[in-house]
Amino acid sequence: MSSEKIERRLIITIDGPAGAGKTTVSRTLAARLGYRYVDTGALYRAVALAALRADLQADDDDGLERLCRGLTLAFASAEDGSARLLSDGKDVSDQLRSPQVTRMASAVSARPPVRRGLLRLQRELGRDGGAVFEGRDMGTVVFPGADVKFFLDASPRTRALRRFAEVQARTGQSLAEIETAIRQRDANDRTRALAPLRPAEDAIPVDSTDLTIDEVVDQMLTHVSLKMRQTRG
Ligand code: DC
């Protein structure tokens, strides 16, 4: 047997509110580690898109239950390596970011059948480890035993400014509209009865308000390296 220590491929979770930088940070961290990046918000958005297309109300639990049972969601890699989301075999990645889908995603993500359906899928995606999961309840509900958990936050103003820079050209929304929508979505996500957005007790808090992406990722890598040294065996 080789004397090389075997490196266990970890599950890393990054939770936090919209606009804290989770997506860029999670993607960068995953790339630096050679891990898979899983954007769980995209799954909620895909359910929202399917619900809108089926003309369902956001609180129609029976309809959502049926919808989730019949819906097959899967991630695939595009030729350029970017992650695409397939909903019943069709690439819906470019339809997930409209304000309408964003609002519906926040609403349906509070519904029990939706959370139940996606819980199973997310755990399945994490079965082999070696992944960075980005979401709201990754460290608290989906992977309570994750190896390293982060809670990434930033001030609401900073988050609105970042989102503004990102979506303004596409949606034409004003900064004030975006800040209002972010605060509304935060309130929904933090106060819902099921899997509310909150840090896991053992999550490492990271505030990105005054940090660059690289500074955040470097901080996280320090924690991940420490964990890797502890778990090597
Ligand atoms: O991260 P995002 O903005 O793409 O998420 C879309 C919505 O889905 C957001 O309102 C929160 C919800 N969500 C959730 O409830 N749990 C997750 N793990 C990920 C997202």
Side-chain angles (χ1 to χ4, degrees):
M1 206 172 108
S2 153
S3 61
E4 283 280 302
K5 304 267 189 196
I6 295 167
E7 199 146 282
R8 195 159 65 81
R9 289 167 62 75
L10 309 181
I11 291 279
I12 299 168
T13 60
I14 303 185
D15 290 310
K22 289 193 306 292
T23 301
T24 315
V25 163
S26 305
R27 207 180 266 145
T28 311
L29 182 67
R32 295 270 291 269
L33 291 166
Y35 279 16
R36 198 150 46 99
Y37 157 63
V38 184
D39 170 12
T40 64
L43 300 174
Y44 286 91
R45 288 171 181 272
V47 170
L49 178 69
L52 286 168
R53 286 182 174 165
D55 240 343
L56 289 179
Q57 298 298 311
D59 59 355
D60 176 359
D61 283 346
D62 291 342
L64 288 169
E65 172 94 53
R66 270 194 304 278
L67 181 86
C68 288
R69 276 182 198 282
L71 192 66
T72 303
L73 299 177
F75 287 102
S77 280
E79 274 176 22
D80 65 359
S82 64
R84 312 298 294 178
L85 185 60
L86 306 184
S87 177
D88 284 338
K90 291 205 184 63
D91 186 348
V92 293
S93 318
D94 296 335
Q95 285 133 63
L96 301 180
R97 308 273 149 198
S98 70
Q100 197 194 13
V101 170
T102 299
R103 274 192 306 276
M104 187 66 165
S106 184
V108 297
S109 69
R111 310 310 305 181
V114 176
R115 299 216 76 84
R116 238 186 347 257
L118 291 183
L119 180 66
R120 235 174 287 137
L121 172 61
Q122 292 168 101
R123 288 199 175 141
E124 182 66 23
L125 291 170
R127 210 184 36 196
D128 298 330
V132 176
F133 278 83
E134 173 205 340
R136 302 292 192 287
D137 62 338
M138 296 298 103
T140 49
V141 176
V142 181
F143 299 109
D147 298 288
V148 190
K149 301 178 183 177
F150 296 104
F151 193 85
L152 185 62
D153 209 342
S155 72
R157 192 62 259 261
T158 302
R159 293 190 283 119
L161 279 166
R162 288 179 187 160
R163 196 38 65 98
F164 180 63
E166 191 185 304
V167 306
Q168 201 264 342
R170 234 178 323 126
T171 66
Q173 285 175 294
S174 71
L175 177 60
E177 281 169 338
I178 289 175
E179 188 164 352
T180 304
I182 278 195
R183 286 180 188 274
Q184 181 60 56
R185 209 142 65 89
D186 276 3
N188 287 352
D189 293 347
R190 288 182 203 267
T191 58
R192 70 184 176 214
L194 266 181
L197 171 65
R198 64 175 176 81
E201 270 173 24
D202 51 349
I204 299 159
V206 180
D207 187 326
S208 72
T209 305
D210 298 315
L211 298 179
T212 64
I213 297 292
D214 284 342
E215 286 168 335
V216 172
V217 172
D218 285 345
Q219 260 192 33
M220 291 180 168
L221 277 170
T222 305
H223 290 285
V224 172
S225 305
L226 189 68
K227 186 70 184 185
M228 282 175 168
R229 280 203 294 279
Q230 288 166 355
T231 60
R232 224 165 259 168

